[in-house]
Amino acid sequence: YNLSLGYYRSQDYSGSIQKGIKGLNLLASPNNHLDYYCFLLDILGTSYYEVGKYEKSLAYYFKLQKTLSEYRKNPRNYKGRFAAYDREFDEIWYGIADGGIARVDIQNKDYAKANHLLLQNLKTSQKYNLDDDRLSVFKRAGALQKESPEEALLGMLSKHIISIYDMVISQDDYD
């Protein structure tokens, strides 16, 4: 996990992918270290996103959600650093997966689906008071503009959709 994260942080996404896959193979199953397994799935999902392999990115985020669903069904089959993975662990990782899937949805111009997932991510972040989440910018923007983070997110999303629309319609201005 740490090697894959190190490569990711140094923006060597191919190295991150290589070490992440090796890490998953070494773990073999999420049952012994669900936390590391989830971290690796997230790192792989975001690394594939960074190299433009969006379908592979989605596959790892869907695998993260499937892993968490299996955990929900049979939590006693899991052990690791924590005595018990609790609902907070589960909800936070679902929020992270939602955020990763939303990034790909935005890339694929499926803004309605992305908006729903980003709002879910934001609600989870607010519920657990996570400062290190990917949507912290919307919290700060909302505070600055005296509006909710959801309103800030929707405002920024609208701005980006309009910018993309303008680029597509008047493409000659951007060549």
Side-chain angles (χ1 to χ4, degrees):
Y1 148 75
N2 284 323
L3 282 173
S4 182
L5 180 61
Y7 279 99
Y8 177 80
R9 286 188 174 158
S10 67
Q11 299 180 343
D12 180 351
Y13 304 118
S14 296
S16 178
I17 290 166
Q18 180 186 15
K19 298 302 180 188
I21 290 170
K22 186 171 184 173
L24 281 180
N25 289 335
L26 288 171
L27 287 173
S29 160
N31 296 65
N32 290 324
H33 291 284
L34 182 61
D35 49 347
Y36 292 131
Y37 199 84
C38 290
F39 278 123
L40 282 169
L41 292 174
D42 178 38
I43 293 168
L44 283 162
T46 196
S47 292
Y48 275 116
Y49 178 87
E50 293 296 339
V51 297
K53 294 186 177 180
Y54 304 121
E55 292 306 313
K56 286 197 176 243
S57 176
L58 277 178
Y60 279 99
Y61 284 113
F62 287 140
K63 186 172 184 171
L64 176 55
Q65 288 181 331
K66 182 179 179 193
T67 298
L68 293 166
S69 292
E70 290 170 4
Y71 161 71
R72 284 179 177 174
K73 291 176 193 170
N74 238 332
R76 293 183 183 181
N77 289 343
Y78 295 82
K79 54 187 174 183
R81 277 190 352 192
F82 307 107
Y85 298 103
D86 56 12
R87 184 154 183 83
E88 181 177 345
F89 173 91
D90 182 66
E91 287 181 357
I92 289 170
W93 277 108
Y94 253 98
I96 289 168
D98 285 345
I101 294 166
R103 288 175 66 189
V104 175
D105 289 338
I106 289 169
Q107 192 67 35
N108 291 333
K109 298 180 176 135
D110 190 348
Y111 303 116
K113 185 177 173 196
N115 183 52
H116 172 73
L117 291 171
L118 289 172
L119 288 173
Q120 287 300 112
N121 179 287
L122 184 60
K123 286 177 185 175
T124 301
S125 297
Q126 288 177 320
K127 180 177 179 179
Y128 294 108
N129 195 25
L130 300 174
D131 292 329
D132 192 28
D133 67 87
R134 293 181 179 151
L135 297 177
S136 63
V137 68
F138 300 111
K139 292 177 185 176
R140 289 189 304 243
L144 285 171
Q145 298 174 53
K146 295 185 178 20
E147 59 186 10
S148 73
E150 292 90 347
E151 291 169 321
L153 181 146
L154 291 173
M156 289 182 194
L157 180 62
S158 297
K159 174 190 165 286
H160 289 291
I161 290 170
I162 290 167
S163 294
I164 291 168
Y165 178 79
D166 287 343
M167 287 189 298
V168 171
I169 298 300
S170 59
Q171 191 168 7
D172 54 337
D173 293 344
Y174 297 93
D175 287 340

